[in-house]
Amino acid sequence: MSLKTKSAPFFLLMILTFVFLSPICNGDQYCKFARKNDECTKVQGMFVFGSSLVDNGNNNFLVNSLAKANYLPYGVDFPLLEPTGRFTNGKNVIDLLGDHLKIPTYIPSFNDPSTKGSKIIHGVNFASGGSGILDDTGAVAGEVISLNQQIRNFENVTLPELEEQTESNRKESLKNYLFVVGSGGNDYSLNYFLGLASKNITIQDFTANLTITLSHQLKRLYDMGARKFVVMALYPNGCSPMARARNPNATDCIQILNDAAQLFNTNLRTLVDSPTLQMPDSTIVIVNAYKIIMDILQNPTPYGFSDTKNPCCDVATIQEGGTGTLCKKGGNVCSDRNGSVYFDGLHPTEAVNIVLANKAFSSNLIDEVYPTNVHLLSIV
């Protein structure tokens, strides 16, 4: 049939299809069809570093680790209907950011023996529950993978394989990935406040050392080719059920813990603004998880939360020989998980992670995301 015999409605349909479903990103292989005026991501995947808030199962493979979430009720609401090692009832913030970025698969954990070949094309998660910025953080949790070791794993194992898979040099391929870092909380709770740091060091000096160390770690990733960074600010852990349980006479959040987190977060923002970081042509987005979660805790109803203080799952108390942090294996869980802020003694529910990911991706408030949001970072 010749084009001349096509009906007018057919041509109208073709025109409308072209207008509303035209590809936005110049044919970039990561872009999908989008409605006109939408902008699609240029991000192919994520490389994730940090602790339990972003860990998706690396500690499952550490025989001597005490920081594991590879049992029910963890994962009770996860799409795979089974525990995966994520420290929550469903998706963590990394999974949800991946949804926003249209990454087609869950980011695989580095320690999983199957994480190789084409499975690394959309990124790898190196995070380890109980770990910290400092190498000696997390010793009380048994075997953990420090942030420095996570970066070495990326450099020595994943990066050479990625170059082989993408058939391009590292600096060309890595510009299309987000590097997400969520670490630092354990350096306080499992190091400084346990008295494991150098004697007589002040919280100010300890925090300064933490942020300087983190800056060196970010610079190492930059030198390998990373250009797009997302750094999670510390959470208000002084408001967690674990913190309250360890201070039974307290009627509110444990301020000394929150003050430490705020000090770190202030230093983090100063670090990003500092010209001494020497990372030209890169962008670091800070997600102010502290403010986002505090807003939920102080005004929960508009967000749909009703319980801001109690863990949703049964947690082994200190009196029972536990730490007040992790769920009991096979223990009970609350029925209204969407209304609870905390799933266990420390980690938020999927419902909170959804708020965090939504804000990280699209908020225009600089006290929530600074200096821009993840969506705008992903399209440049």
Side-chain angles (χ1 to χ4, degrees):
M1 183 182 293
S2 70
L3 286 177
K4 289 184 179 180
T5 63
K6 298 287 187 183
S7 65
F10 175 84
F11 277 109
L12 179 60
L13 177 61
M14 291 293 290
I15 292 171
L16 290 174
T17 300
F18 178 80
V19 169
F20 287 103
L21 291 176
S22 56
I24 304 300
C25 297
N26 302 319
D28 185 45
Q29 62 176 317
Y30 318 127
C31 290
K32 308 297 182 184
F33 284 97
R35 287 185 180 275
K36 190 175 181 181
N37 298 325
D38 283 352
E39 294 174 289
C40 57
T41 178
K42 293 183 180 180
V43 168
Q44 183 175 0
M46 291 186 284
F47 292 109
V48 183
F49 307 84
S51 60
S52 57
L53 294 165
V54 293
D55 182 4
N56 69 346
N58 279 300
N59 282 13
N60 295 355
F61 302 92
L62 301 180
V63 175
N64 296 319
S65 179
L66 302 177
K68 293 184 180 181
N70 58 344
Y71 58 88
L72 289 172
Y74 291 111
V76 64
D77 298 310
F78 193 72
L80 300 180
L81 301 178
E82 62 182 15
T84 60
R86 291 162 172 81
F87 291 77
T88 186
N89 58 303
K91 294 182 179 182
N92 64 20
V93 69
I94 298 301
D95 301 316
L96 295 159
L97 279 178
D99 290 343
H100 280 294
L101 294 165
K102 309 302 182 187
I103 296 173
T105 62
Y106 294 118
I107 307 299
S109 57
F110 173 80
N111 277 6
D112 188 329
S114 69
T115 301
K116 55 188 176 182
S118 62
K119 287 192 69 174
I120 72 171
I121 289 295
H122 296 293
V124 175
N125 190 317
F126 300 86
S128 173
S131 70
I133 293 170
L134 304 179
D135 288 344
D136 55 354
T137 291
V140 296
E143 189 179 3
V144 299
I145 310 166
S146 70
L147 185 53
N148 277 326
Q149 183 59 51
Q150 293 173 36
I151 294 172
R152 285 192 290 269
N153 289 341
F154 170 72
E155 181 177 22
N156 298 330
V157 181
T158 301
L159 188 50
E161 190 167 4
L162 182 70
E163 289 180 295
E164 182 180 325
Q165 288 293 318
T166 59
E167 299 182 343
S168 60
N169 66 65
R170 60 184 61 183
K171 295 201 173 181
E172 180 63 27
S173 60
L174 292 185
K175 68 181 183 180
N176 297 316
Y177 289 86
L178 290 189
F179 284 73
V180 185
V181 181
S183 189
N186 290 330
D187 292 289
Y188 293 100
S189 59
L190 299 182
N191 192 328
Y192 183 82
F193 287 117
L194 292 182
L196 302 180
S198 301
K199 288 185 178 180
N200 301 321
I201 188 172
T202 66
I203 190 71
Q204 290 79 12
D205 288 343
F206 182 81
T207 300
N209 179 47
L210 268 189
T211 48
I212 289 171
T213 303
L214 178 61
S215 73
H216 293 159
Q217 292 161 333
L218 295 177
K219 184 64 163 55
R220 284 173 59 196
L221 291 169
Y222 172 85
D223 289 341
M224 295 176 213
R227 291 297 180 267
K228 298 179 180 181
F229 295 87
V230 178
V231 180
M232 304 296 294
L234 298 192
Y235 293 29
N237 288 342
C239 299
S240 68
M242 176 189 70
R244 294 172 183 271
R246 292 180 179 180
N247 298 269
N249 295 326
T251 57
D252 204 349
C253 300
I254 311 306
Q255 198 57 43
I256 189 173
L257 299 180
N258 282 353
D259 287 346
Q262 288 182 294
L263 181 61
F264 177 90
N265 293 342
T266 299
N267 283 17
L268 186 62
R269 179 158 170 169
T270 301
L271 170 70
V272 169
D273 288 334
S274 173
T276 61
L277 195 56
Q278 297 180 339
M279 292 168 52
D281 301 319
S282 68
T283 303
I284 301 176
V285 170
I286 298 176
V287 179
N288 191 353
Y290 186 99
K291 180 190 184 301
I292 295 168
I293 292 179
M294 281 301 291
D295 285 349
I296 293 173
L297 295 174
Q298 294 172 350
N299 192 22
T301 303
Y303 292 96
F305 294 98
S306 55
D307 190 338
T308 62
K309 294 183 178 181
N310 300 299
C312 176
C313 71
D314 288 340
V315 171
T317 66
I318 295 172
Q319 292 77 14
E320 295 172 327
T323 62
T325 304
L326 298 180
C327 298
K328 292 180 180 178
K329 291 184 178 181
N332 295 322
V333 291
C334 63
S335 58
D336 185 16
R337 294 184 284 281
N338 288 334
S340 294
V341 171
Y342 293 98
F343 186 63
D344 61 13
L346 178 64
H347 305 97
T349 56
E350 180 186 74
V352 172
N353 290 330
I354 289 172
V355 177
L356 276 171
N358 289 347
K359 297 271 191 181
F361 189 75
S362 59
S363 176
N364 293 316
L365 303 176
I366 61 171
D367 59 350
E368 293 182 340
V369 286
Y370 179 81
T372 186
N373 60 45
V374 173
H375 176 232
L376 294 177
L377 175 65
S378 73
I379 63 176
V380 296

